[in-house]
Amino acid sequence: MRVGIVGTGFMGSTHAAAWSATEATIAGCVSLNKAMAEPLARQYQSAAFESFKEMLDEVDIVDICTPTHLHHGMVLEASRAGKQIICEKPLARTIEEGQEMIAACKAAGVQLIVAHVVRFFPEYALARKQVHDGQIGDPAVLRLTRGTFQPKKSEDNWFVDFAKSGGMMLDLMIHDLDYARWVAGDVETVYAKKISSEHMGAHVDHGLIILRHRSGAISHVEGSWAYPPPLFRTRFEIAGSNGLLQHDSADAAAIRLHLHGSSNEDIPDVPLPSSPLSEDPYTTEIKTFYRSLLYGETPPVSGAEGLAAVQLALAGIESAASGLPVTIDQLPEVKEEMGS
C-alpha cells in the first residue's frame, strides 16, 4: 500500500522513519508548501506534493501529522477520497469535530486509526496485559506522570496557542488519560487543577487530573510542561487488590544530568519520550496499524477510543477552569463500539 504523510515537522519525520521499516511504499509527503516537504521527500526517495488534494490521488493511506486544529478538515477530505486514515493524537480539537470525523469515515467505509503511541511502549503494554490477566487483582489506584519541557518552534508555535492545540492537557496529558481508560475502563467524573488556569500567561504549565472510573478505580494523572529541556520523564504505578505494578523511565538511564540554561541548538522542537529498545515504539505502532489495514483486522486504536480520550482531556480543561468536577456522559460513538 502507498502512504502519504501530511506534515513534515518533527512528528511527520518520526512517522516517516517508522513507515520505512514496513513493506509499505512512502509515496510522498505534503507540507505548508512544496519547499518545506522536499527535504523529507528526498530522504525517502518520494514525491513532494504541491497540495493535499494532489497527494490524495497517489496514495492508499493518509498519515496526518499536522497541528491538532487541522485534523478535522483533513480527515473529512481524505475520507471523501476513500483513503484509509491514521491521525496523530489528539484526534480533534473538539468533541463535535471528532464526531464528524468518525461519521465521515464510517459513511465512506474507511478506517480511522488514532496514533496513541503510549499503548505501544512495551512497559505500558505489559502492565496493561498483566492487569487484564488478573495479576494484581482488581485495579484500584493508578498514578501516571508525564513531565517534559514546553514544545518550542522558531515561528508559529501552535503548541502554545490554546485555540489550536488545547494546551498541555489536550496535547500532552491525553496520552495518560487514554492509557488510564484503556487499563481501568470508562470514566464517570473528572476533576482537575493546572497552573495556567490559576496564573494566566504563565510560561510553564503543570496539571493534575483525577479520574473516577465506572469500575470504582481512581486515576491520578499528572502532566507538566515545566521541566528543563531536553528532559522527558514518565512513570506509572498501578495498585490492585493483590499487588502493585511500577515503572519509572529514569530507571532505564545509566546516568542523568539536568541543567537549566544549556544551549538550545541540540534540543528538538517537540519532546519525544525515549525507549531503550532496538525497535522504536513509533515503529511498533506504525507496523501494527499497517497490518490492521493490510489484512482487514480490527484497528488497535479506533476513532471512538481517540474521541473518548479527547472528551476526558476537555473535561479536565473545563474542571480546571471552573474548579468543579465534570460528569462524563458516555458518547454515542463509544457506546456503539462497546455494544452498550
Side-chain angles (χ1 to χ4, degrees):
M1 300 177 76
R2 302 164 301 163
V3 61
I5 298 169
V6 192
T8 57
F10 191 70
M11 193 52 64
S13 300
T14 301
H15 278 223
W19 279 110
S20 71
T22 73
E23 295 179 356
T25 298
I26 300 176
C29 52
V30 64
S31 190
L32 290 173
N33 55 63
K34 188 174 181 180
M36 292 180 68
E38 284 175 345
L40 190 65
R42 283 195 300 270
Q43 185 176 350
Y44 294 99
Q45 295 83 50
S46 61
F49 294 108
E50 292 279 1
S51 67
F52 185 48
K53 185 178 184 302
E54 181 188 8
M55 190 193 80
L56 290 176
D57 294 332
E58 304 296 332
V59 302
D60 307 301
I61 302 169
V62 173
D63 186 352
I64 298 174
C65 301
T66 59
T68 303
H69 67 290
L70 301 178
H71 292 179
H72 173 250
M74 289 179 166
V75 167
L76 296 188
E77 189 173 349
S79 66
R80 286 194 295 268
K83 307 305 176 182
Q84 308 296 340
I85 302 167
I86 294 168
C87 183
E88 249 303 321
K89 50 60 46 192
L91 172 65
R93 180 61 185 82
T94 69
I95 291 173
E96 293 75 20
E97 286 183 352
Q99 289 176 316
E100 289 181 11
M101 293 157 71
I102 291 170
C105 291
K106 183 177 180 181
V110 299
Q111 293 284 9
L112 174 59
I113 303 174
V114 187
H116 275 286
V117 73
V118 167
R119 295 190 183 201
F120 299 89
F121 275 73
E123 56 273 23
Y124 284 84
L126 179 59
R128 195 260 187 178
K129 183 179 185 302
Q130 289 179 328
V131 170
H132 279 250
D133 287 348
Q135 294 295 314
I136 62 167
D138 296 325
V141 179
L142 290 73
R143 299 184 185 277
L144 305 162
T145 300
R146 188 164 301 268
T148 187
F149 59 96
Q150 182 173 275
K152 61 182 180 66
K153 284 183 174 291
S154 57
E155 57 184 67
D156 188 26
N157 189 357
W158 63 272
F159 288 101
V160 298
D161 185 335
F162 182 79
K164 293 179 178 180
S165 72
M168 188 266 299
M169 283 188 169
L170 185 60
D171 188 75
L172 179 71
M173 293 182 72
I174 196 169
H175 282 295
D176 294 295
L177 296 173
D178 172 70
Y179 184 74
R181 182 179 173 273
W182 193 42
V183 172
D186 276 326
V187 174
E188 288 184 334
T189 60
V190 175
Y191 181 70
K193 292 282 189 181
K194 64 185 175 82
I195 288 174
S196 58
S197 292
E198 306 290 334
H199 304 280
M200 301 300 292
H203 295 297
V204 297
D205 206 358
H206 190 100
L208 176 66
I209 299 178
I210 300 174
L211 311 175
R212 181 178 292 277
H213 298 266
R214 296 180 188 276
S215 64
I218 294 176
S219 291
H220 298 257
V221 181
E222 183 181 13
S224 185
W225 271 354
Y227 284 34
L231 186 61
F232 198 131
R233 186 177 181 185
T234 62
R235 56 180 178 266
F236 66 72
E237 176 182 292
I238 305 174
S241 54
N242 292 335
L244 179 71
L245 292 165
Q246 292 178 305
H247 166 73
D248 190 326
S249 62
D251 293 340
I255 187 169
R256 300 184 294 277
L257 178 64
H258 311 310
L259 297 175
H260 276 289
S262 57
S263 170
N264 289 327
E265 292 182 4
D266 298 325
I267 298 170
D269 289 348
V270 182
L272 194 71
S274 62
S275 173
L277 302 180
S278 57
E279 180 169 284
D280 177 85
Y282 287 88
T283 300
T284 305
E285 173 189 51
I286 291 297
K287 283 182 176 180
T288 306
F289 290 170
Y290 184 53
R291 283 196 301 269
S292 73
L293 293 174
L294 199 58
Y295 301 113
E297 299 170 353
T298 302
V301 192
S302 67
E305 289 181 290
L307 182 62
V310 169
Q311 183 185 27
L312 295 181
L314 294 179
I317 293 168
E318 179 184 345
S319 176
S322 69
L324 300 171
V326 174
T327 300
I328 300 297
D329 295 320
Q330 197 175 55
L331 297 168
E333 294 79 5
V334 179
K335 285 183 179 179
E336 181 180 348
E337 183 158 299
M338 295 179 64
S340 59

